[in-house]
Amino acid sequence: MPQVRLRYFALFREQAGCREEEFATSAPTPGLLYEELATRHGFRLGRAQLKVAINGAFADWGTPLADGDEVVFIPPVAGG
Amino acid sequence: MPAFEFSKAQLDPAALARSLADPAAGGFASFEGWVRNHDAGQPVTGLDYEAFEELAVAEGDRIVAAAMQRHGVRAARCVHRVGALGIGELAVWVGAAAAHRAEAFAACREIIDEIKHRLPIWKKEHYQSGDSGWVNCERCAEAGPAHADEPAGDARFDYARQMALPEIGAAGQRRLTAASVVVIGAGGLGCAVLAALAGAGVGTLHVVDDDRVEASNLPRQPLYTTADLGRPKAEAAAQRLAAYNPRITVHAHAVRLSAANAAALVMAGDVIVDCSDNFAAKFLINDTAVLAGRPAVLASVHQYEGQVQVVRAESGGSCLRCLWPEATRDGLVGNCVAAGVLGPVPALLGQLQAIEALKILLDLPGQLRDELLLVDLLGVELRRLRVPRASECAGRCTRIGPAAAETPAAELEITLPLAAAAAQGYRIIDIREPDECHSEPLGLTGHMAMPMATLLAGPAALDPDARYLLVCTRGARSLATARELRAGGCRNVWSLRGGLLHAAGGTQPGRS
C-alpha cells in the first residue's frame, strides 16, 4: 500500500479540515485515490472538474502511484 | 527578474512597468486585475487568494515564456497577489514590452487569459451577507456528475457541457428553463436562432412566421425537410424543435406580425429576436420592444454581410431608430429574394443573435450594447460601431424613460362620443390597420387614418397646436400609442377610452 502525502488547497483544504496529510492508500492511481478521499472528506466536486498534480507537475488520472508521492487535487481555478 | 511570481505585499504598477523598460521597445501594454465589489449580483466585501505556489510559479513561467516567443515581445512579466485583499486592490499585474503595440497587446492578453484558466490559484469571495464562497468551485460542485440541482426533465437531452461553464452551472440552467424567447421570422436567421436556443434549453420558444416552406428556403433553413414544402413555417419549425428537445415548449404563431398583434407577441418574451426579412417588421419589432421594455436582438443579412444590433431601451440603451430615425422603406435596398444569399451567412448571424440572447438571459459579460456589429464574411471581418442614443430618435428612446412611460391612463383617456369630441375641436386619428378601417369604418368624415406604427414612426407630422384623439377598436392600442407619444414629448394626444366598441355600445366585433 503506497503511503502518499496529500496537500489541500482552497475548497478541499476547508472540506478536509487540514492543509496536508499522510495517507496509506490501496488505490493504484490518483483517480481511484480521489474517490477514496471524496468518501472520507465529503468532497462534492466531480472528477471532470478537477486536475491532479503529482510531485509538483500536472499528471494523468491513470498515472501509477508510488510510495512517497506528493499528490494535489486541483479544484477549478480563479486566478486574476 | 522572475517571469511569474507571487506577492504577499501590495503591488506598485509604476515600478513594475519600469522594470520592463527597454530602449528597443516601442510599445508597452499592461493589464491590471482589481478586486471588484460584486460578483453574480452579490455585493462582495473582500477576498482571499490562495495558490499552490510551486506548481503555479513553474506553470506561470512557462505561460509568460510561451507568450513572449509566440508574439515576439522583448520583455514580459506577471505578478499575482496572495492573501487577503480589499475592494479596489490590485490583484494581478501583467506587462509586455515589444517593438510594436500589436505584439504587446496580444502577449499581455494571452498571459492573463492563460493565467486565469490554468494556474492553481483560487479566490474566496466574502459577501456582504456574511457568506463566502470559492469562486468557480461551489457552482461546479452543483453541476457535478449527479446533476443534483439540474432542472428535472428528460435525461436523454443533457445540458451537462454548458452547465460545466462556471458562469452557467445549475443556477444558469434553471434561468434558461424559466425563460421565454420570441423569435420573429423562421427563415435563415430564425432557423439558426431557434436551433441554438432550443439546444440551450430555453424553456419556452415562440415561433412567429406567416410564410410557408418553399423549395428555395431549404438550402439555408435546415429545420425543414422536403416533406414540409407548403406547410406553415411556424408549425413545421415548432414540431421539429419539440422533437429535437422534448424538454422545452414551443409555440407556433403562423401569423404576420402587425401593429395589432406585435405588443401581445413581444410581451410573451423575456427577449425578442428579430429574424425578419423586411424593414417594416424590423421597425415594428424595435418600436414595440422599446415600448414594452423588452430587450431585442436585431439582425439583417445582405449577400455575404450582415449586421447585429441589441436594443436595450429598457435600460437606457440606443435602438434601431437612433441609427435610422425614419423607417427605411422596403425596396430601397435588396432583400434575399432579389439580392441572393448564401446559407452560412444567415446561419452565422443567427448564431450571433442566439449568443447575445443567451448572454442577456444568463447575465453574462460582454453583451453588445449601444453598438452595431458589422459582419463581412468575404473580408472575414467583424467590426463594432458605436451607436449612441440619439437625441432626435423620432422622439423615442431618449425620452421614453420608465417615468415618462408611466403616464397614468386617467391623464390620457377621454370618454366622449366621437362626434362630440370632433365638435370640441379634437382631431380624430384612426390608428387601426387599413384592413380594419375598411371592414369597420369609423362612421365619421374629416378624420385622419394613420396606423399605429406609422404614427409612432413620424409623430413630427402632428401639429403642435392641435389636440389629437386616437381611436382603435377597444382602446388598448390607442392608449399605448398615446402614452408612447407623450413619452416622446407630444403633450397634445389622448386616447378614446374603450375605443370604437365603447362608442358603439359594445356591440361591434373586431380586434383589440
Side-chain angles (χ1 to χ4, degrees):
Chain A
M1 274 202 9
Q3 180 89 6
V4 295
R5 180 162 169 256
L6 297 159
R7 292 175 66 193
Y8 298 117
F9 292 92
L11 187 64
F12 287 151
R13 176 175 50 72
E14 292 184 349
Q15 291 179 343
C18 60
R19 288 184 179 278
E20 52 182 81
E21 62 179 335
E22 297 286 331
F23 187 67
T25 179
S26 55
T29 63
L32 293 169
L33 171 62
Y34 179 74
E35 283 171 30
E36 267 187 306
L37 293 169
T39 311
R40 177 178 157 94
H41 294 304
F43 296 155
R44 287 181 60 224
L45 285 167
R47 273 241 324 254
Q49 276 99 44
L50 303 181
K51 286 184 184 159
V52 63
I54 300 176
N55 301 327
F58 287 113
D60 288 336
W61 288 100
T63 309
L65 288 174
D67 206 37
D69 276 349
E70 179 193 272
V71 182
V72 182
F73 295 103
I74 297 175
V77 299
Chain B
M1 179 181 76
F4 180 89
E5 65 192 305
F6 285 103
S7 169
K8 291 189 172 63
Q10 284 197 346
L11 305 181
D12 175 357
L16 289 165
R18 275 197 306 275
S19 74
L20 295 179
D22 179 337
F28 165 76
S30 68
F31 170 82
E32 296 183 11
W34 299 349
V35 178
R36 66 164 181 264
N37 68 356
H38 63 94
D39 186 46
Q42 286 213 72
V44 170
T45 56
L47 49 82
D48 296 313
Y49 277 106
E50 179 170 336
F52 178 8
E53 296 199 20
E54 305 93 299
L55 182 57
V57 167
E59 281 288 303
D61 282 343
R62 276 195 276 275
I63 288 169
V64 174
M68 285 178 67
Q69 191 184 8
R70 180 166 13 253
H71 301 290
V73 305
R74 301 189 58 84
R77 67 183 292 198
C78 174
V79 187
H80 204 296
R81 286 288 306 276
V82 282
L85 274 75
I87 301 303
E89 273 199 74
L90 179 49
V92 57
W93 186 93
V94 180
H100 308 288
R101 67 185 183 282
E103 304 94 273
F105 275 121
C108 192
R109 174 76 193 236
E110 178 178 315
I111 291 169
I112 186 63
D113 286 349
E114 289 288 312
I115 278 166
K116 279 187 82 87
H117 290 114
R118 266 174 55 190
L119 292 200
I121 301 172
W122 300 276
K123 179 161 75 175
K124 184 174 200 172
E125 289 179 336
H126 298 281
Y127 306 112
Q128 210 166 53
S129 61
D131 277 355
S132 61
W134 289 101
V135 174
N136 291 351
C137 297
E138 321 279 351
R139 276 179 286 180
C140 278
E142 284 181 16
H147 302 314
D149 296 326
E150 190 183 347
D154 190 333
R156 287 175 302 167
F157 205 100
D158 187 347
Y159 304 118
R161 294 294 180 275
Q162 69 191 40
M163 286 169 62
L165 290 166
E167 296 81 6
I168 298 179
Q173 196 61 50
R174 279 195 297 273
R175 280 168 90 153
L176 292 180
T177 301
S180 171
V181 175
V182 176
V183 179
I184 298 170
L189 288 169
C191 281
V193 170
L194 287 163
L197 297 183
V202 171
T204 306
L205 290 174
H206 292 268
V207 188
V208 184
D209 199 311
D210 71 328
D211 281 343
R212 288 173 183 273
V213 179
E214 295 175 18
S216 63
N217 299 148
L218 296 180
R220 63 191 176 284
Q221 299 178 21
L223 288 182
Y224 314 116
T225 69
T226 49
D228 294 317
L229 289 173
R231 285 184 74 192
K233 279 187 171 178
E235 193 184 286
Q239 189 180 359
R240 176 74 184 274
L241 293 165
Y244 166 53
N245 185 352
R247 301 181 63 174
I248 63 169
T249 305
V250 189
H251 298 282
H253 304 269
V255 296
R256 185 153 193 83
L257 182 77
S258 72
N261 61 23
L265 287 169
V266 161
M267 294 299 278
D270 299 308
V271 175
I272 316 308
V273 186
D274 157 46
C275 300
S276 68
D277 62 354
N278 65 86
F279 285 107
K282 289 185 192 301
F283 279 89
L284 181 55
I285 291 165
N286 176 78
D287 294 355
T288 315
V290 168
L291 257 179
R294 293 288 196 275
V297 183
L298 315 180
S300 55
V301 168
H302 183 72
Q303 295 187 331
Y304 303 97
E305 295 171 37
Q307 304 182 346
V308 179
Q309 184 183 11
V310 180
V311 173
R312 301 301 302 271
E314 88 286 358
S315 58
S318 60
C319 78
L320 185 62
R321 285 183 192 274
C322 296
L323 202 55
W324 312 108
E326 296 300 321
T328 309
R329 275 183 292 134
D330 288 301
L332 290 182
V333 283
N335 59 20
C336 291
V337 176
V341 64
L342 190 60
V345 180
L348 181 64
L349 270 290
Q351 296 290 352
L352 287 170
Q353 288 182 286
I355 186 83
E356 289 303 319
L358 292 172
K359 280 153 77 174
I360 293 170
L361 293 174
L362 291 165
D363 200 19
L364 296 183
Q367 297 175 16
L368 277 182
R369 187 192 159 91
D370 293 342
E371 55 202 324
L372 183 67
L373 178 67
L374 298 177
V375 181
D376 173 1
L377 293 174
L378 283 187
V380 198
E381 254 192 322
L382 287 183
R383 276 188 299 149
R384 296 163 77 157
L385 298 184
R386 290 278 305 155
V387 180
R389 259 167 50 143
S391 56
E392 296 305 321
C393 176
R396 180 171 306 274
C397 55
T398 54
R399 279 170 286 187
I400 191 173
E406 286 307 310
T407 308
E411 288 178 26
L412 286 169
E413 290 188 314
I414 287 178
T415 309
L416 261 188
L418 272 184
Q424 288 187 16
Y426 284 100
R427 292 168 70 172
I428 313 290
I429 306 181
D430 187 346
I431 64 159
R432 297 174 301 161
E433 298 297 297
D435 64 318
E436 295 174 87
C437 298
H438 180 74
S439 62
E440 296 157 24
L442 210 52
L444 271 185
T445 52
H447 68 280
M448 300 157 71
M450 202 183 284
M452 177 181 179
T454 313
L455 179 57
L456 288 174
L462 299 181
D463 176 353
D465 295 325
R467 290 184 300 162
Y468 291 95
L469 183 61
L470 312 185
V471 180
C472 68
T473 307
R474 288 194 171 84
R477 275 178 285 165
S478 57
L479 176 60
T481 308
R483 185 172 272 152
E484 161 66 356
L485 291 171
R486 289 284 187 100
C490 299
R491 312 308 307 170
N492 53 342
V493 289
W494 286 266
S495 163
L496 180 68
R497 183 182 163 85
L500 293 177
L501 272 184
H502 185 267
T507 56
Q508 209 164 337
R511 301 183 221 173
S512 68

